[in-house]
Structure formats: structure tokens, C-alpha cells
Amino acid sequence: MEDCRQLSRRLEGDLLAVGERIVRVPPQLMSHCHTAACTYGKSDPIDALAAARVALGEPDLPTAHLDDASREVRLLMDHRDNLVAERTRVVNRLRWHVHELGPALDPPARSLTQPKQVKRAYARRSRTAPLPVWSGN
């Protein structure tokens, strides 16, 4: 990959996340391959071919990769972030449903994360009005 981190940071992050190894090719080395190529101009396929030729010809170029332990930690952190986001969506959905059942029962923010608070909201709802019955039609 041509070493232009300000432009390719997102792509590099995605490639590293799936376990790929990245060889960073300095643009100065690619200019020699551009002049030696049979095709003229500047395009992504031409740049990719030039970067590949330089990467194969220069064994000491800097590389980026995640070792197995780092990759496992990163995958676990991503999974945890997904679980936290899903939990937040579920709690917000539950709070909205309680509000729809009775606006006066609107539970305080962050109160429905504890089973005790969910039972308390259900008990308040039971005292004020019966739950609607699903007719199934």
C-alpha cells in the first residue's frame, strides 16, 4: 500500500482488523516503477501495480500487522462494544414502551438497567391501569 496514512488510515485499520499484513511503500520508490511501466498516466490500478512491484523488490519496507494476542484483544473489545450498544438500545426501547403504556409512569433515565427498577415500574403500571390485552387479529 502506498504510504499515505492521512488518506489510507481507515483502510489500514480495516485490513489490520481482519488480520492482514500491510507493507507500506514510500511514494518516492513508486515513482521509479511508474517511469519503468509500459502504461502512462495515474490511476488506481497503475498505482496498485507499482506498489506491488516495489513491495516485492524491497524486502526491508516497514510493515504493519497485529499479532495474534493483539488481534484477539481487539476482537473482544469490538464484541464488548457491540454488546454495550445493544444493551443500550434494549433499555431505551423498554423505557419508551413503558412511557407509551402510561406517560405518567415515565421512568427516570438509566433506571431500567436494574431488575428491581423494572419490577417497580411494572408494579406502578399494574396499580394505575390493567395492561392492554392482545386480541391477535
Side-chain angles (χ1 to χ4, degrees):
M1 174 178 288
E2 185 175 4
D3 191 3
C4 51
R5 292 179 207 177
Q6 68 277 8
L7 299 175
S8 61
R9 183 181 311 264
R10 177 81 186 247
L11 176 61
E12 284 187 23
D14 291 344
L15 290 172
L16 289 173
V18 296
E20 294 294 329
R21 181 179 298 267
I22 299 170
V23 178
R24 293 191 175 121
V25 178
Q28 298 88 346
L29 292 177
M30 289 181 54
S31 65
H32 173 68
C33 274
H34 276 294
T35 57
C38 296
T39 56
Y40 296 101
K42 180 146 177 68
S43 69
D44 290 338
I46 294 171
D47 288 347
L49 183 60
R53 285 182 175 152
V54 171
L56 290 173
E58 298 283 334
D60 296 331
L61 290 174
T63 61
H65 71 284
L66 291 177
D67 60 353
D68 290 338
S70 298
R71 187 164 185 269
E72 276 186 40
V73 169
R74 185 172 186 155
L75 289 172
L76 288 171
M77 287 174 44
D78 288 347
H79 183 64
R80 180 191 180 279
D81 290 345
N82 289 338
L83 290 175
V84 168
E86 180 62 25
R87 176 181 177 268
T88 302
R89 280 190 293 274
V90 168
V91 168
N92 288 340
R93 196 176 313 125
L94 174 63
R95 187 165 180 250
W96 177 250
H97 288 313
V98 169
H99 175 76
E100 279 185 331
L101 290 173
L105 300 174
D106 193 24
R110 299 187 184 125
S111 66
L112 296 179
T113 59
Q114 304 167 358
K116 175 177 75 172
Q117 297 294 340
V118 174
K119 289 177 186 175
R120 185 177 294 161
Y122 181 76
R124 273 188 278 162
R125 173 67 183 146
S126 299
R127 286 193 302 265
T128 59
L131 290 173
V133 178
W134 176 255
S135 64
N137 292 339

